[in-house]
Amino acid sequence: EPGLGPSAMAQAGALPSEEPVPQAQPASDLPAEVCEEALNTGPNSSSGLAAASFRTAKYLPHEWHQNNSDLYHKAFTGCEQAEHGRAQAKELAKHAAATAHRTQQDTTAALGQRLRDIRFWKTELQREIEDLDAETNLLAAQKLRLERALDATEVPYAIATDNLQCRERRQPPDLVSDEVERELLKEVELIRSVQELLRRALVEAANQMRLNRDHKEVCEMDWSDKVETYIIDNKCGRYRNQSTNIQFHPSSVKSEESASTPKAWAKFSYDNVYKAEQEKQASISLRALIDSILHDVSEDLKRQCAIVNEAFAKRCKELNDAKYNLEYHLKKILKEIGDKEASIAALKQAIRDKEGPMKVAQTRLYDRSFRPNIELCRDEAQFRLISEAEELTESIESLKKKLLESEESLRNLEDIRMNLEKEIAVKTNSIFIDRQKCMAHRRRYPAVFKLAGY
């Protein structure tokens, strides 16, 4: 560059941050001094005592020349030093500008990387927020299914308890602890167990939904902070030296004591995402468990309902068979009663029919007892009359005895008829209770999809 000395050119590559080294001035030829002979200095000169006061404190000519020479030398040295200082100042300004530009580029790149990191965690948090929100909605739907299924179990429970209460109105001897009653008791116990299980599942679902919302809120707060930070850092990354909204903030150079480290910052978001993912997986597992519970519960209730219905059908068949047999025997008993009554009537008529011969025989014997004297003879006729009377008496006694037996048998038949009719009435009542009351009521049993909460 014009105007730079060789020493300045030699030092052009030095860093401006280093302390400048004093440069030695090169030897140069000074202009020759012109020594003029002093005038009026001799003994014969005109300068005498009269001019002595004008020579006081005067410099000698060589001193004058030396002073000028010193001034020249200082001026040259000053120019050299100023020229060297200008070169160093220019190089320092150039280096400072390059350093400032490079540092600003590095800072802008660091802000860009920071924006990418923030965007990454913001995206992860937003994904977890959306997943947790969707998962909470799905879990809420499962919770609604649980509530519907729990409500649906009230109908089977009412049906089973009503069946047990209705069957308590059966009359002896049909008031028996049969298979139907045992299966009904199993059904009631099963429904109670199912209701307790569904209530516990409802509590678990409510707790999991609360945890989902809590972690979603944590992620939303972190996401909100990152959105705000992204806006700030994005604005900072767009600042340029020519921006009009930049100004000095000397107090902002110091570091904040409460500021976090990059490792703690990343770990905070990682922990939030990790915990949210854990809760999401726990919610998914709980939904699968609820779905399995509802499926198993509906199948168990429907299976037990089918078992009870089958027991009812079997019991009704037994009752119908018993009633048919009772009616068959009642028919035979009624026929036998009719025959027995006819037999009794015949026996009574037979007894009445013996009254005439008995009267004849006894009248004959009575009249023959009035035969006179020797005529009162025990002849053959007398013996036959006596024998006839005895035979008639014996026959009447046998008929009366048989009549008593027949009447006793008739009374037994009547008792059997009454018992049969009573038992038929009992069976009819039992059939009415089991078929018309219980089985008809059980037709209101909910379907499987309703028990499953749909």
Side-chain angles (χ1 to χ4, degrees), residues 218 222 225-226 263-273:
V218 171
D222 194 3
D225 292 343
K226 281 178 172 50
K263 184 176 180 180
W265 174 82
K267 187 176 183 302
F268 179 78
S269 296
Y270 174 81
D271 290 342
N272 289 336
V273 171

PDB file of all heavy atoms in Angstrom, residues 218 222 225-226 263-273:
ATOM      1  N   VAL A 218     -48.772 -31.100  31.587  1.00  0.00           N
ATOM      2  CA  VAL A 218     -47.329 -30.853  31.724  1.00  0.00           C
ATOM      3  C   VAL A 218     -46.696 -30.677  30.350  1.00  0.00           C
ATOM      4  O   VAL A 218     -45.901 -29.753  30.119  1.00  0.00           O
ATOM      5  CB  VAL A 218     -46.671 -32.018  32.491  1.00  0.00           C
ATOM      6  CG1 VAL A 218     -45.150 -31.885  32.447  1.00  0.00           C
ATOM      7  CG2 VAL A 218     -47.138 -32.038  33.941  1.00  0.00           C
ATOM      8  N   ASP A 222     -44.858 -27.339  28.739  1.00  0.00           N
ATOM      9  CA  ASP A 222     -43.531 -27.397  28.129  1.00  0.00           C
ATOM     10  C   ASP A 222     -43.603 -26.973  26.666  1.00  0.00           C
ATOM     11  O   ASP A 222     -42.752 -26.218  26.167  1.00  0.00           O
ATOM     12  CB  ASP A 222     -42.989 -28.824  28.252  1.00  0.00           C
ATOM     13  CG  ASP A 222     -41.498 -28.894  27.946  1.00  0.00           C
ATOM     14  OD1 ASP A 222     -40.893 -27.846  27.710  1.00  0.00           O
ATOM     15  OD2 ASP A 222     -40.936 -30.011  27.954  1.00  0.00           O
ATOM     16  N   ASP A 225     -44.003 -23.228  26.442  1.00  0.00           N
ATOM     17  CA  ASP A 225     -42.723 -22.551  26.681  1.00  0.00           C
ATOM     18  C   ASP A 225     -41.816 -22.646  25.457  1.00  0.00           C
ATOM     19  O   ASP A 225     -41.137 -21.689  25.091  1.00  0.00           O
ATOM     20  CB  ASP A 225     -42.025 -23.165  27.894  1.00  0.00           C
ATOM     21  CG  ASP A 225     -42.762 -22.865  29.188  1.00  0.00           C
ATOM     22  OD1 ASP A 225     -43.602 -21.947  29.186  1.00  0.00           O
ATOM     23  OD2 ASP A 225     -42.506 -23.569  30.193  1.00  0.00           O
ATOM     24  N   LYS A 226     -41.818 -23.781  24.810  1.00  0.00           N
ATOM     25  CA  LYS A 226     -40.955 -23.949  23.635  1.00  0.00           C
ATOM     26  C   LYS A 226     -41.465 -23.145  22.455  1.00  0.00           C
ATOM     27  O   LYS A 226     -40.670 -22.647  21.649  1.00  0.00           O
ATOM     28  CB  LYS A 226     -40.843 -25.436  23.291  1.00  0.00           C
ATOM     29  CG  LYS A 226     -39.860 -26.151  24.215  1.00  0.00           C
ATOM     30  CD  LYS A 226     -39.762 -27.597  23.939  1.00  0.00           C
ATOM     31  CE  LYS A 226     -38.617 -28.204  24.776  1.00  0.00           C
ATOM     32  NZ  LYS A 226     -38.670 -27.853  26.180  1.00  0.00           N
ATOM     33  N   LYS A 263     -28.000 -29.844  28.933  1.00  0.00           N
ATOM     34  CA  LYS A 263     -28.279 -31.225  29.313  1.00  0.00           C
ATOM     35  C   LYS A 263     -29.549 -31.313  30.170  1.00  0.00           C
ATOM     36  O   LYS A 263     -30.416 -32.179  29.937  1.00  0.00           O
ATOM     37  CB  LYS A 263     -27.097 -31.802  30.086  1.00  0.00           C
ATOM     38  CG  LYS A 263     -27.243 -33.265  30.443  1.00  0.00           C
ATOM     39  CD  LYS A 263     -25.996 -33.780  31.126  1.00  0.00           C
ATOM     40  CE  LYS A 263     -26.156 -35.265  31.487  1.00  0.00           C
ATOM     41  NZ  LYS A 263     -24.942 -35.788  32.171  1.00  0.00           N
ATOM     42  N   ALA A 264     -29.672 -30.389  31.139  1.00  0.00           N
ATOM     43  CA  ALA A 264     -30.876 -30.384  31.981  1.00  0.00           C
ATOM     44  C   ALA A 264     -32.102 -30.007  31.151  1.00  0.00           C
ATOM     45  O   ALA A 264     -33.200 -30.546  31.366  1.00  0.00           O
ATOM     46  CB  ALA A 264     -30.697 -29.402  33.147  1.00  0.00           C
ATOM     47  N   TRP A 265     -31.908 -29.088  30.183  1.00  0.00           N
ATOM     48  CA  TRP A 265     -33.024 -28.672  29.317  1.00  0.00           C
ATOM     49  C   TRP A 265     -33.542 -29.854  28.493  1.00  0.00           C
ATOM     50  O   TRP A 265     -34.735 -30.113  28.430  1.00  0.00           O
ATOM     51  CB  TRP A 265     -32.551 -27.551  28.414  1.00  0.00           C
ATOM     52  CG  TRP A 265     -33.549 -27.125  27.384  1.00  0.00           C
ATOM     53  CD1 TRP A 265     -34.590 -26.273  27.553  1.00  0.00           C
ATOM     54  CD2 TRP A 265     -33.596 -27.554  26.018  1.00  0.00           C
ATOM     55  NE1 TRP A 265     -35.290 -26.138  26.378  1.00  0.00           N
ATOM     56  CE2 TRP A 265     -34.707 -26.910  25.408  1.00  0.00           C
ATOM     57  CE3 TRP A 265     -32.821 -28.410  25.244  1.00  0.00           C
ATOM     58  CZ2 TRP A 265     -35.037 -27.100  24.076  1.00  0.00           C
ATOM     59  CZ3 TRP A 265     -33.138 -28.600  23.913  1.00  0.00           C
ATOM     60  CH2 TRP A 265     -34.242 -27.959  23.336  1.00  0.00           C
ATOM     61  N   ALA A 266     -32.616 -30.586  27.869  1.00  0.00           N
ATOM     62  CA  ALA A 266     -33.018 -31.736  27.053  1.00  0.00           C
ATOM     63  C   ALA A 266     -33.615 -32.842  27.921  1.00  0.00           C
ATOM     64  O   ALA A 266     -34.596 -33.489  27.536  1.00  0.00           O
ATOM     65  CB  ALA A 266     -31.821 -32.258  26.269  1.00  0.00           C
ATOM     66  N   LYS A 267     -33.032 -33.040  29.115  1.00  0.00           N
ATOM     67  CA  LYS A 267     -33.539 -34.088  29.995  1.00  0.00           C
ATOM     68  C   LYS A 267     -34.947 -33.769  30.483  1.00  0.00           C
ATOM     69  O   LYS A 267     -35.790 -34.672  30.633  1.00  0.00           O
ATOM     70  CB  LYS A 267     -32.618 -34.261  31.194  1.00  0.00           C
ATOM     71  CG  LYS A 267     -32.977 -35.444  32.094  1.00  0.00           C
ATOM     72  CD  LYS A 267     -31.968 -35.612  33.213  1.00  0.00           C
ATOM     73  CE  LYS A 267     -32.312 -36.856  34.045  1.00  0.00           C
ATOM     74  NZ  LYS A 267     -33.656 -36.833  34.618  1.00  0.00           N
ATOM     75  N   PHE A 268     -35.240 -32.489  30.689  1.00  0.00           N
ATOM     76  CA  PHE A 268     -36.576 -32.104  31.145  1.00  0.00           C
ATOM     77  C   PHE A 268     -37.632 -32.484  30.106  1.00  0.00           C
ATOM     78  O   PHE A 268     -38.648 -33.106  30.427  1.00  0.00           O
ATOM     79  CB  PHE A 268     -36.600 -30.587  31.405  1.00  0.00           C
ATOM     80  CG  PHE A 268     -37.929 -30.066  31.858  1.00  0.00           C
ATOM     81  CD1 PHE A 268     -38.345 -30.237  33.169  1.00  0.00           C
ATOM     82  CD2 PHE A 268     -38.776 -29.413  30.974  1.00  0.00           C
ATOM     83  CE1 PHE A 268     -39.577 -29.753  33.598  1.00  0.00           C
ATOM     84  CE2 PHE A 268     -40.016 -28.936  31.387  1.00  0.00           C
ATOM     85  CZ  PHE A 268     -40.395 -29.105  32.706  1.00  0.00           C
ATOM     86  N   SER A 269     -37.374 -32.123  28.848  1.00  0.00           N
ATOM     87  CA  SER A 269     -38.334 -32.474  27.794  1.00  0.00           C
ATOM     88  C   SER A 269     -38.368 -33.980  27.559  1.00  0.00           C
ATOM     89  O   SER A 269     -39.434 -34.556  27.314  1.00  0.00           O
ATOM     90  CB  SER A 269     -37.966 -31.750  26.498  1.00  0.00           C
ATOM     91  OG  SER A 269     -38.091 -30.354  26.665  1.00  0.00           O
ATOM     92  N   TYR A 270     -37.191 -34.627  27.646  1.00  0.00           N
ATOM     93  CA  TYR A 270     -37.157 -36.086  27.470  1.00  0.00           C
ATOM     94  C   TYR A 270     -37.983 -36.782  28.543  1.00  0.00           C
ATOM     95  O   TYR A 270     -38.748 -37.716  28.251  1.00  0.00           O
ATOM     96  CB  TYR A 270     -35.709 -36.576  27.513  1.00  0.00           C
ATOM     97  CG  TYR A 270     -35.586 -38.078  27.496  1.00  0.00           C
ATOM     98  CD1 TYR A 270     -35.671 -38.789  26.305  1.00  0.00           C
ATOM     99  CD2 TYR A 270     -35.396 -38.792  28.685  1.00  0.00           C
ATOM    100  CE1 TYR A 270     -35.567 -40.167  26.281  1.00  0.00           C
ATOM    101  CE2 TYR A 270     -35.300 -40.173  28.673  1.00  0.00           C
ATOM    102  CZ  TYR A 270     -35.380 -40.852  27.467  1.00  0.00           C
ATOM    103  OH  TYR A 270     -35.286 -42.217  27.466  1.00  0.00           O
ATOM    104  N   ASP A 271     -37.843 -36.315  29.788  1.00  0.00           N
ATOM    105  CA  ASP A 271     -38.620 -36.922  30.881  1.00  0.00           C
ATOM    106  C   ASP A 271     -40.110 -36.712  30.668  1.00  0.00           C
ATOM    107  O   ASP A 271     -40.915 -37.633  30.904  1.00  0.00           O
ATOM    108  CB  ASP A 271     -38.194 -36.321  32.229  1.00  0.00           C
ATOM    109  CG  ASP A 271     -36.792 -36.764  32.631  1.00  0.00           C
ATOM    110  OD1 ASP A 271     -36.307 -37.762  32.062  1.00  0.00           O
ATOM    111  OD2 ASP A 271     -36.194 -36.107  33.499  1.00  0.00           O
ATOM    112  N   ASN A 272     -40.492 -35.521  30.204  1.00  0.00           N
ATOM    113  CA  ASN A 272     -41.911 -35.273  29.953  1.00  0.00           C
ATOM    114  C   ASN A 272     -42.452 -36.181  28.857  1.00  0.00           C
ATOM    115  O   ASN A 272     -43.536 -36.766  28.992  1.00  0.00           O
ATOM    116  CB  ASN A 272     -42.124 -33.803  29.562  1.00  0.00           C
ATOM    117  CG  ASN A 272     -41.922 -32.850  30.732  1.00  0.00           C
ATOM    118  OD1 ASN A 272     -42.052 -33.250  31.895  1.00  0.00           O
ATOM    119  ND2 ASN A 272     -41.611 -31.608  30.440  1.00  0.00           N
ATOM    120  N   VAL A 273     -41.680 -36.312  27.769  1.00  0.00           N
ATOM    121  CA  VAL A 273     -42.110 -37.184  26.670  1.00  0.00           C
ATOM    122  C   VAL A 273     -42.131 -38.638  27.126  1.00  0.00           C
ATOM    123  O   VAL A 273     -43.064 -39.391  26.807  1.00  0.00           O
ATOM    124  CB  VAL A 273     -41.182 -36.996  25.454  1.00  0.00           C
ATOM    125  CG1 VAL A 273     -41.479 -38.046  24.381  1.00  0.00           C
ATOM    126  CG2 VAL A 273     -41.341 -35.599  24.877  1.00  0.00           C
TER     127      VAL A 273
END
